[in-house]
Amino acid sequence: SVLLLAVCLTGGMPATRQVIREWLDPGSGRLVIMWLQPFGGTPRGIPPDVVPDWRKESRSLESVASFTLRELPSRLPGARHLILPVVSSDSHLFEVLKVRPLMGTVTAPDFAAIDYRIWNSEFHRDPHVLGKSISISGTPHVISAVLPPGFSFLTRKPCVYVARQYGRSDTVMVVGRVRATADSSKLEKELAHIARKSDYYFFVVDPKLRSASLAGVVFSPVRLFALAFSI
């Protein structure tokens, strides 16, 4: 019954399988989502400039990446217009999620990766798809990678992943992989300490750093998915 409830609330088996794999395999390192939670307020993003410091200084995190997730107007070859979920991040995201492209690369600073569903439905598994262009919010992106079948991140809808350089005023969601040997109860305190050194003013004014295990989506998916789409 728990599995059936998870399927309904997470939008289907692919997303649920990903969550349960993380839940049942703690040796691989637990995935967590991180955000700021002002006292009595709604969840907020985190300044992206703290993430490199977490990557460098944290003893609890195995890997960490910042990202945003928005549904944006997109145009594919053949003038087909769609509204697609678009994840903006950098190559560290794929390190955190432990996923490698089926074809192509996501290591370039201007990568654009389509998931397998888009490759299958819109490009009919064209082996020459790399180098073709898609437009997102009017900006052209050259496809550099196709992600493997079965992969999804927070949404099971067909999704595009693009590189993004964040500005000082931006805020982001953060996903990290906690070391299997780390004391998870000390994670938020450690990351808040590092963040204050990186962005003292922001974190003194609003220091309530929070995290939630992606495994917890099995039991509370609405909070996490609402959070992911609120940024």
Side-chain angles (χ1 to χ4, degrees):
S1 60
V2 172
L3 177 59
L4 180 61
L5 178 62
V7 171
C8 295
L9 293 179
T10 58
M13 283 302 297
T16 302
R17 281 198 299 267
Q18 180 180 344
V19 167
I20 291 177
R21 279 199 301 269
E22 295 290 342
W23 181 36
L24 295 179
D25 187 16
S28 68
R30 183 170 54 91
L31 287 176
V32 294
I33 291 282
M34 288 164 272
W35 71 95
L36 288 173
Q37 181 73 57
F39 181 75
T42 57
R44 292 177 49 188
I46 293 171
D49 56 352
V50 307
V51 177
D53 290 332
W54 283 344
R55 187 176 299 121
K56 180 180 177 181
E57 299 185 30
S58 173
R59 296 183 178 181
S60 300
L61 293 178
E62 177 181 308
S63 51
V64 63
S66 56
F67 71 94
T68 59
L69 173 57
R70 295 183 176 93
E71 292 197 344
L72 298 174
S74 306
R75 184 168 61 84
L76 302 177
R80 178 164 163 74
H81 292 263
L82 297 170
I83 301 296
L84 292 174
V86 177
V87 175
S88 299
S89 187
D90 58 32
S91 60
H92 292 288
L93 177 67
F94 303 100
E95 176 187 341
V96 173
L97 300 178
K98 294 190 175 181
V99 61
R100 295 181 178 179
L102 177 68
M103 54 191 295
T105 179
V106 291
T107 58
D110 58 348
F111 73 82
I114 57 174
D115 69 11
Y116 188 90
R117 290 160 294 185
I118 293 177
W119 185 49
N120 182 52
S121 63
E122 303 299 328
F123 293 93
H124 310 291
R125 289 186 280 186
D126 178 3
H128 305 295
V129 69
L130 302 183
K132 293 188 176 183
S133 180
I134 59 175
S135 175
I136 299 172
S137 295
T139 300
H141 296 265
V142 176
I143 298 172
S144 66
V146 175
L147 299 175
F151 169 74
S152 60
F153 176 54
L154 292 184
T155 174
R156 65 185 299 265
K157 295 180 181 178
C159 190
V160 179
Y161 298 76
V162 297
R164 179 180 176 185
Q165 299 295 321
Y166 301 106
R168 175 69 180 179
S169 61
D170 292 340
T171 58
V172 296
M173 293 292 295
V174 177
V175 59
R177 185 174 292 275
V178 182
R179 296 183 187 278
T181 57
D183 184 346
S184 298
S185 66
K186 298 179 180 178
L187 175 65
E188 292 171 7
K189 183 177 180 180
E190 179 204 47
L191 296 183
H193 174 72
I194 296 170
R196 288 191 183 98
K197 293 191 298 180
S198 173
D199 197 333
Y200 181 81
Y201 177 77
F202 190 98
F203 281 91
V204 166
V205 172
D206 195 354
K208 301 297 183 182
L209 182 68
R210 292 290 180 262
S211 66
S213 171
L214 277 182
V217 177
V218 172
F219 302 104
S220 56
V222 174
R223 180 182 67 171
L224 183 57
F225 288 149
L227 177 64
F229 281 98
S230 70
I231 303 303

